[in-house]
Amino acid sequence: MFSSLLAIVIALGVSVVAQTSSPSVVCVAGQCLQGFSNTTIGAKLSASGAPTSIHLLPGQYTSTTNPQLLHNILTSSSAALAPSPGFENFSSDLPLNLALSPGLAIYSQSLYSGQAGFSSLPSSPTGNSSTPLAANSIALSTNIWAAIRTDSNDRIVFWDAVPDVSQLPTGASKSLSLLDLQSSACSPPCAGSGVCSAAGVCSCPPGFTGSSCEACAKGFFGPTCQACPSGCGSCDEGISGSGRCLTTTVTGAPSTCNCLNGQCGSDGQCSCNAGWTTGTNGTACSKCSPGFFLTSTGDCQVCQLGCTQCADGTGTCIACKSGFSQDANDKTKCTPPQSVTSTGTVCPNGSFSDGTKCSLCSPSCKTCTGATSNDCIICAAGQYLLNGNCVSANSDGVCDGTTLIGDNNKNECDTCGAKCTTCKIPNFSVASTVNQLQCTGCLPGFVLSQGKCVDRCPSGTFISPQDNLTCTACDSTCGTCAGASTFCLTCAGNQLASSGKCVSTCPSNSFSSSGSCITCHPDCASCSGPSFNQCSSCPPDRPVLTNGRCLPTCSKSQFFDKTSTTCQTCDSSCSSCSGPGPSNCLACSSSNQVLRAGSCAPANCQGSSAVIPGLGVCLSELVIVPKASGTNPAPPLPSITGLGDPIIISSRKPLEWWQILLMALGCAFIFLVIVILWRRHARKQRAKRTAMFASAKQLDQKGWRWRLVRFGEKLFGHSASKQVHPASVPDLERGGDIKMRAMHFDSASARHTIEMEKFIDAYDYSRSSRAPSSLPSLNDHRARDMRHLPSHSNRLSGHSMFSEVTGMPRHTPEPRQPVKDTERYSSSSLSSSAFSNRTRAQEGELIDISPARTEAEAYVMSVRPRLATSPRLEPNHTGTSSRNPFRV
């Protein structure tokens, strides 16, 4: 199995590799060292124009891998790889995952140096073979384990690379031999006959089947699942079978060409046995030919003499030959006519009438109708009628030139039987009967047992290997046998059949079942059943017993303890081990430790180097960098720039036009979303300020009472009523400015109301009026009690009401506007003013809450509501003799 590796090992044993005389660059991902190294694991990376080639150790390399020199060569368009054995299936394309192919690599020197050899996973089980390993360092790919035998004959399982075999535990560092190499990716693990591939699939050799290659395919037997013997239709098959032939291969069986009682030829045509023909359903050889009838045993026998047609089952003659008449005593027979001369003489047996006299028959005939042997009615003794002729029979009763048998009762040649191709009557004589008939040949698919053709041999017999036809009796000690009379499948009495022999107890590698000892599955040393998961104990090459299965190894962090025959956990410092304690490590679990004499010790890597993952050795151990000294004339290392510099990405790939377009569309979309959100926020802020203003002015007092009224209106189908919002009216006694607001006025009415407010505010009396008046000043009154209200510039310097109405400038000091008593008002003015005031009060625009008013204030109160609602200024009556310009 490991013949290719063996050839490599022989070459390694005689090879001597010298240390390189010139410095080289060895790199792992993130670090490079220039120095002297003989390491061969990995691949050589080179590029045109590069200052030097680089030896890459196993690892992951990308376009951003440090340092700068490694980056430049990796990303070079002319980069090329020269892999060492086991690393062939890689290219220089990035990302580069430089890893050992599934298998085992060995090196002639320690630290993965010298000549290298590689063996991939085997395609079939290695069995009990072993291959010597003359190697000083070993590398294993991921999820691969190798079973190696040491000089102390111990079986050790390696899961990790070994940079120096001499650093293995005592007794495990010399005379190593490879026993097995498999992948651990399969779950559940493969049986001993299967090989786990790196993809986690059990690969089965020819003859094996099952998800774990645990069973033999149909037609195969034994631990190695070999094919049944040639010529056997079936054998004692299965992984525990003996391979003995149980049935022979049938060629030309009737069933292969739609035939029943005949033999199929090479051309596919059926050749029927005597007495048979094609049935009405098209099946060949399924119906008796004319002149034959079907017996109760399924055979076609010839009808009696003189009968041309007879009934199936009984043989009763249905039709007789011309001149014959049915026998009154035996309905199966037809009586021949008497031979009488012209004179009326009846001719005796052995003669016939030729007209005037009786002439002798042929010596072959007992009775006849003519002088030749073809004219016989009944043949002479020892002669039998066949197709109108009398033929003789041999000592076995077989009619000459046929396979038919002579019937002394019918004096005819009759058939042997439906399944017989040939037959005989031993010691045949004229006294012999057809009941003594014995078959000597059978149709394909039938065997000969006690002179009859049957489909299988009876119990206690077996098919003779000499002719593959005759059923032969087993030995007296056997209940059943196969292949030979003494190869027992079952035994008589209380004996058990084991490997063809009868024993009292089954051997250790078998179990008892139905009177036989069945061999255990090859994975088991002892078992309770035939399956590979019914093991009771395990063989040395599969020592681990787990859930009824014998496995070749424990898990990676465990070792097999021979004393307890169980898997035990390794020491915490070990990644894998060969025994208990910290001194039996095969690899270290810490990335800061390396293997030293079976124990894990601090790595103490030089400089900034670290332990290389998967190799278990410092980069500084693989590359010797000499220190500068006065006696060393060599130039100091490194002599190449870029070994310690981080990578610098000097250029960036320009954007494509469609990328720019997508970015522009994305920015436009984001700007549009921001504008929409800003407008929405602004609307919410305006609505919030409006709600705050309405709440402060008590313009929107929709409490629970209003909601209850509105619910009733909706319930009974009424239209919504106008809600009244009473305004907050300042105290007129304190000079408050009377301002009212209505929520349901249109915009034009609201603007007119504001203009009229400004107009009335302008009609204030100034303190600097040159005409004295006995009326109190409105400005004095406002200044005293309404300091909190904003002042308008036109309140002190505004035009008079006369100027506002006539449009003519004032040339004299502003006169005091007389205010008349209510008695001087006309009735229409009073009614109009009262109605206006009452209406406004009802609408919530003006509420007079002053307990006492001056005459000017009363006048303002009577005029202002009409000014607020009228689209133009209308004068009011103040008396007939007044010069008031408001008079109509």
Side-chain angles (χ1 to χ4, degrees):
M1 184 54 61
F2 299 110
S3 57
S4 59
L5 185 60
L6 179 61
I8 296 172
V9 168
I10 295 173
L12 293 182
V14 298
S15 64
V16 177
V17 180
Q19 183 76 22
T20 56
S21 58
S22 60
S24 60
V25 177
V26 181
C27 293
V28 293
Q31 186 180 15
C32 291
L33 283 181
Q34 184 184 17
F36 298 93
S37 176
N38 196 30
T39 299
T40 55
I41 189 172
K44 188 77 70 174
L45 177 66
S46 60
S48 60
T52 183
S53 61
I54 294 177
H55 188 92
L56 291 182
L57 297 177
Q60 179 81 30
Y61 299 89
T62 65
S63 58
T64 59
T65 300
N66 282 316
Q68 184 67 42
L69 175 63
L70 177 58
H71 167 76
N72 293 341
I73 300 180
L74 282 173
T75 56
S76 174
S77 59
S78 61
L81 279 177
S84 65
F87 293 87
E88 289 85 359
N89 299 325
F90 295 95
S91 65
S92 57
D93 297 335
L94 297 179
L96 171 62
N97 184 19
L98 189 62
L100 186 67
S101 299
L104 169 72
I106 58 175
Y107 301 88
S108 61
Q109 298 180 9
S110 61
L111 302 178
Y112 314 106
S113 301
Q115 188 173 353
F118 176 75
S119 177
S120 61
L121 285 177
S123 58
S124 60
T126 58
N128 296 323
S129 62
S130 62
T131 303
L133 292 179
N136 288 311
S137 53
I138 300 172
L140 283 167
S141 51
T142 306
N143 293 329
I144 302 296
W145 58 264
I148 296 178
R149 186 173 59 201
T150 65
D151 54 354
S152 58
N153 207 28
D154 291 330
R155 183 178 181 272
I156 299 177
V157 177
F158 286 83
W159 294 83
D160 302 283
V162 181
D164 191 352
V165 172
S166 63
Q167 299 298 330
L168 291 174
T170 304
S173 59
K174 297 179 180 179
S175 302
L176 304 181
S177 297
L178 180 62
L179 299 177
D180 198 3
L181 182 65
Q182 288 199 37
S183 170
S184 62
C186 294
S187 180
C190 299
S193 52
V195 175
C196 181
S197 67
V201 179
C202 290
S203 177
C204 302
F208 286 88
T209 187
S211 60
S212 299
C213 306
E214 72 277 8
C216 289
K218 185 174 179 59
F220 295 84
F221 73 96
T224 59
C225 287
Q226 57 189 356
C228 290
S230 61
C232 286
S234 63
C235 70
D236 184 18
E237 60 188 15
I239 205 162
S240 301
S242 62
R244 290 287 180 175
C245 192
L246 302 178
T247 60
T248 58
T249 302
V250 177
T251 58
S255 59
T256 60
C257 61
N258 193 29
C259 185
L260 188 61
N261 297 294
Q263 184 172 354
C264 295
S266 59
D267 57 354
Q269 298 297 319
C270 183
S271 177
C272 297
N273 282 348
W276 293 94
T277 188
T278 303
T280 56
N281 61 354
T283 302
C285 312
S286 60
K287 185 179 73 170
C288 291
S289 301
F292 293 82
F293 71 97
L294 185 66
T295 66
S296 60
T297 58
D299 299 327
C300 280
Q301 291 184 356
V302 68
C303 295
Q304 292 277 6
L305 286 174
C307 186
T308 58
Q309 184 180 0
C310 49
D312 290 340
T314 61
T316 301
C317 189
I318 298 174
C320 295
K321 287 182 181 181
S322 176
F324 284 70
S325 60
Q326 191 174 26
D327 192 319
N329 298 322
D330 189 354
K331 299 296 184 181
T332 63
K333 298 180 180 180
C334 289
T335 303
Q338 289 183 341
S339 180
V340 182
T341 65
S342 58
T343 59
T345 303
V346 177
C347 296
N349 290 339
S351 63
F352 68 97
S353 173
D354 59 359
T356 60
K357 64 180 185 305
C358 293
S359 300
L360 293 176
C361 297
S362 170
S364 300
C365 303
K366 182 178 180 180
T367 61
C368 63
T369 59
T372 66
S373 60
N374 294 330
D375 297 324
C376 296
I377 298 174
I378 300 174
C379 295
Q383 298 286 315
Y384 303 93
L385 188 64
L386 176 65
N387 297 327
N389 297 321
C390 291
V391 296
S392 60
N394 61 17
S395 59
D396 291 328
V398 178
C399 294
D400 292 341
T402 69
T403 57
L404 301 178
I405 196 75
D407 187 345
N408 290 320
N409 182 35
K410 296 179 180 179
N411 294 312
E412 294 180 281
C413 292
D414 209 346
T415 59
C416 293
K419 307 303 179 185
C420 294
T421 56
T422 59
C423 58
K424 70 175 183 177
I425 298 178
N427 302 318
F428 180 76
S429 66
V430 293
S432 299
T433 63
V434 292
N435 294 331
Q436 300 171 327
L437 181 146
Q438 295 180 0
C439 293
T440 57
C442 300
L443 291 176
F446 293 85
V447 292
L448 194 59
S449 175
Q450 297 181 353
K452 297 186 180 299
C453 291
V454 294
D455 55 356
R456 65 174 59 88
C457 288
S459 178
T461 62
F462 71 100
I463 298 177
S464 173
Q466 280 76 25
D467 58 6
N468 288 327
L469 175 65
T470 308
C471 293
T472 306
C474 296
D475 188 78
S476 60
T477 59
C478 299
T480 58
C481 60
S485 61
T486 57
F487 190 90
C488 300
L489 299 179
T490 59
C491 296
N494 295 324
Q495 296 289 304
L496 299 172
S498 175
S499 300
K501 299 183 180 299
C502 293
V503 295
S504 57
T505 58
C506 290
S508 60
N509 63 338
S510 62
F511 66 99
S512 175
S513 175
S514 301
S516 300
C517 294
I518 308 299
T519 304
C520 292
H521 193 277
D523 286 1
C524 307
S526 61
C527 61
S528 59
S531 178
F532 74 132
N533 58 2
Q534 293 179 300
C535 299
S536 302
S537 61
C538 299
D541 60 333
R542 303 181 69 86
V544 182
L545 181 62
T546 302
N547 298 326
R549 285 201 59 185
C550 290
L551 304 179
T553 178
C554 301
S555 62
K556 181 178 180 180
S557 59
Q558 294 179 325
F559 69 95
F560 180 72
D561 184 14
K562 292 182 179 180
T563 304
S564 60
T565 64
T566 57
C567 292
Q568 301 294 328
T569 304
C570 294
D571 187 78
S572 59
S573 63
C574 305
S575 172
S576 58
C577 63
S578 60
S583 61
N584 286 303
C585 294
L586 301 176
C588 298
S589 58
S590 174
S591 59
N592 297 322
Q593 292 182 322
V594 293
L595 191 65
R596 295 288 184 265
S599 299
C600 291
N604 296 326
C605 299
Q606 297 181 5
S608 59
S609 66
V611 176
I612 304 171
L615 297 184
V617 64
C618 297
L619 180 61
S620 59
E621 290 185 72
L622 300 180
V623 183
I624 305 301
V625 181
K627 296 182 180 179
S629 64
T631 60
N632 186 9
L637 298 178
S639 61
I640 301 175
T641 59
L643 291 181
D645 302 332
I647 63 172
I648 300 174
I649 307 300
S650 58
S651 62
R652 183 177 299 173
K653 184 179 179 180
L655 296 177
E656 299 289 342
W657 66 268
W658 56 269
Q659 293 175 323
I660 299 174
L661 178 60
L662 287 178
M663 293 174 63
L665 292 177
C667 292
F669 176 76
I670 294 174
F671 176 75
L672 180 61
V673 171
I674 292 175
V675 170
I676 294 174
L677 294 177
W678 177 80
R679 287 173 58 85
R680 183 177 179 182
H681 177 72
R683 287 196 298 269
K684 288 184 177 180
Q685 292 298 321
R686 287 197 300 271
K688 183 178 180 180
R689 291 196 295 269
T690 301
M692 293 175 62
F693 175 79
S695 176
K697 296 298 183 178
Q698 299 182 1
L699 299 179
D700 189 13
Q701 298 179 353
K702 296 182 180 180
W704 65 271
R705 294 182 179 85
W706 181 86
R707 291 186 178 90
L708 182 61
V709 172
R710 185 69 188 114
F711 173 75
E713 290 174 347
K714 291 183 178 179
L715 181 64
F716 294 102
H718 293 285
S719 59
S721 61
K722 294 184 179 180
Q723 184 180 7
V724 178
H725 302 283
S728 177
V729 182
D731 190 356
L732 293 178
E733 289 297 327
R734 294 180 297 177
D737 187 10
I738 305 173
K739 295 183 179 181
M740 311 304 296
R741 295 290 183 270
M743 293 298 295
H744 303 294
F745 278 7
D746 56 14
S747 60
S749 177
R751 288 195 301 268
H752 184 72
T753 301
I754 294 173
E755 293 297 329
M756 293 307 299
E757 287 179 354
K758 291 181 180 180
F759 175 76
I760 296 301
D761 288 340
Y763 191 67
D764 289 340
Y765 292 95
S766 173
R767 287 181 178 271
S768 60
S769 176
R770 289 174 293 179
S773 176
S774 61
L775 295 175
S777 173
L778 289 175
N779 287 330
D780 292 341
H781 192 73
R782 292 173 187 270
R784 181 177 66 251
D785 296 328
M786 302 190 68
R787 297 183 181 92
H788 63 282
L789 295 176
S791 61
H792 301 285
S793 61
N794 60 355
R795 287 192 176 185
L796 297 178
S797 60
H799 299 291
S800 65
M801 188 176 294
F802 176 82
S803 338
E804 293 287 341
V805 174
T806 61
M808 299 175 60
R810 183 181 61 194
H811 299 289
T812 59
E814 180 180 82
R816 297 283 186 177
Q817 180 65 39
V819 179
K820 296 184 179 182
D821 296 334
T822 57
E823 289 81 7
R824 296 182 58 189
Y825 286 20
S826 63
S827 60
S828 61
S829 299
L830 287 173
S831 62
S832 174
S833 177
F835 175 77
S836 176
N837 288 336
R838 184 170 59 252
T839 303
R840 295 300 183 188
Q842 290 175 357
E843 294 179 355
E845 287 194 359
L846 183 62
I847 300 176
D848 188 5
I849 60 174
S850 176
R853 300 186 182 91
T854 63
E855 293 180 358
E857 291 172 343
Y859 172 75
V860 170
M861 290 294 296
S862 65
V863 174
R864 191 168 186 175
R866 294 183 58 192
L867 294 177
T869 58
S870 176
R872 61 185 180 84
L873 185 63
E874 297 179 0
N876 199 4
H877 292 281
T878 59
T880 56
S881 61
S882 174
R883 296 180 179 179
N884 194 332
F886 285 81
R887 182 179 177 183
V888 179

